[in-house]
Amino acid sequence: MGRTLEDKQEIVADLKETLSESTLALVIEYQGLTVAEITDLRRRLRPSGAVCKVTKNTLMGIAIQDQEKWEPLSELLKGSSAFLLVKEDFSSAIKAYQDFQKATKKTELRGGVMEGRLLKENDVKALGDLPSKEQLMGQIAGAINSLASKIAVGINEVPGSLARALQAVAEAEKGDSTAE
């Protein structure tokens, strides 16, 4: 028994809503994956805020219709497609998918779309190599902390330098007065 029109409209509405919250969409060939493996992929993606949607290409095609940001996705709609929709931390999501792919060796990345641009496999790998949100925040915090430490040392050094300069002047004047 096929899906009813209402079911299909509900699926398309759900896809549109998820896409509106997403910054990156990846398309993978998932043929040969078991339900347990799809569940494992979804579990791995969850911490990064990404979701895995398995739906017919025609329904995804309807969902991206008239959405300039996602229009290039139509080029990737062929075969058995699963869609990884990433909200924020795309680096972590890509790494999670890559780990899953290494473990199962059953999926193939067709490409993705980000900010209206079609991404090939190499582009997606480059995005995956970027540091995660947590790593970037750690690097920024470390840089800020380092800068604050240098400023504090510099500020502390001013009175010390001034005191040494005054001491040197005082000794120089003392030496001049004893020479007379």
Side-chain angles (χ1 to χ4, degrees):
M1 185 169 121
R3 296 187 184 271
T4 64
L5 182 60
E6 291 80 27
D7 286 344
K8 291 177 183 177
Q9 288 172 338
E10 194 175 302
I11 291 168
V12 168
D14 180 50
L15 286 171
K16 281 185 176 186
E17 182 181 334
T18 307
L19 282 168
S20 71
E21 299 168 352
S22 301
T23 57
L24 170 69
L26 301 176
V27 182
I28 62 169
E29 175 77 36
Y30 80 97
Q31 192 166 8
L33 288 181
T34 64
V35 172
E37 289 168 331
I38 291 275
T39 304
D40 180 41
L41 175 59
R42 287 178 171 143
R43 182 188 53 76
R44 290 176 189 235
L45 291 170
R46 199 170 295 127
S48 65
V51 294
C52 176
K53 298 276 187 183
V54 177
T55 188
K56 289 189 175 286
N57 291 331
T58 52
L59 295 178
M60 180 56 86
I62 294 167
I64 63 172
Q65 219 169 24
D66 302 326
Q67 290 193 42
E68 192 176 317
K69 180 180 176 183
W70 301 113
E71 200 66 41
L73 204 58
S74 61
E75 294 179 36
L76 304 171
L77 301 179
K78 57 184 181 276
S80 305
S81 300
F83 304 93
L84 309 182
L85 304 174
V86 185
K87 292 181 183 172
E88 286 180 10
D89 195 1
F90 52 82
S91 179
S92 294
I94 293 169
K95 286 176 184 156
Y97 166 70
Q98 288 171 337
D99 291 344
F100 172 79
Q101 207 286 329
K102 283 179 190 170
T104 62
K105 295 184 179 18
K106 290 183 179 179
T107 64
E108 184 181 318
L109 179 68
R110 276 199 215 124
V113 173
M114 183 177 197
E115 296 178 1
R117 287 189 45 223
L118 185 65
L119 304 174
K120 299 292 180 203
E121 191 173 353
N122 294 340
D123 301 327
V124 174
K125 284 182 181 173
L127 283 174
D129 292 339
L130 293 173
S132 70
K133 186 177 176 181
E134 289 79 22
Q135 289 170 324
L136 281 174
M137 287 172 33
Q139 290 172 353
I140 291 169
I144 290 171
N145 191 22
S146 169
L147 182 63
S149 297
K150 288 178 182 175
I151 289 173
V153 167
I155 290 172
N156 259 356
E157 194 57 37
V158 170
S161 298
L162 185 59
R164 284 191 292 277
L166 289 174
Q167 181 71 32
V169 169
E171 286 177 6
E173 284 181 1
K174 188 177 179 184
D176 286 345
S177 64
T178 55
E180 290 178 5

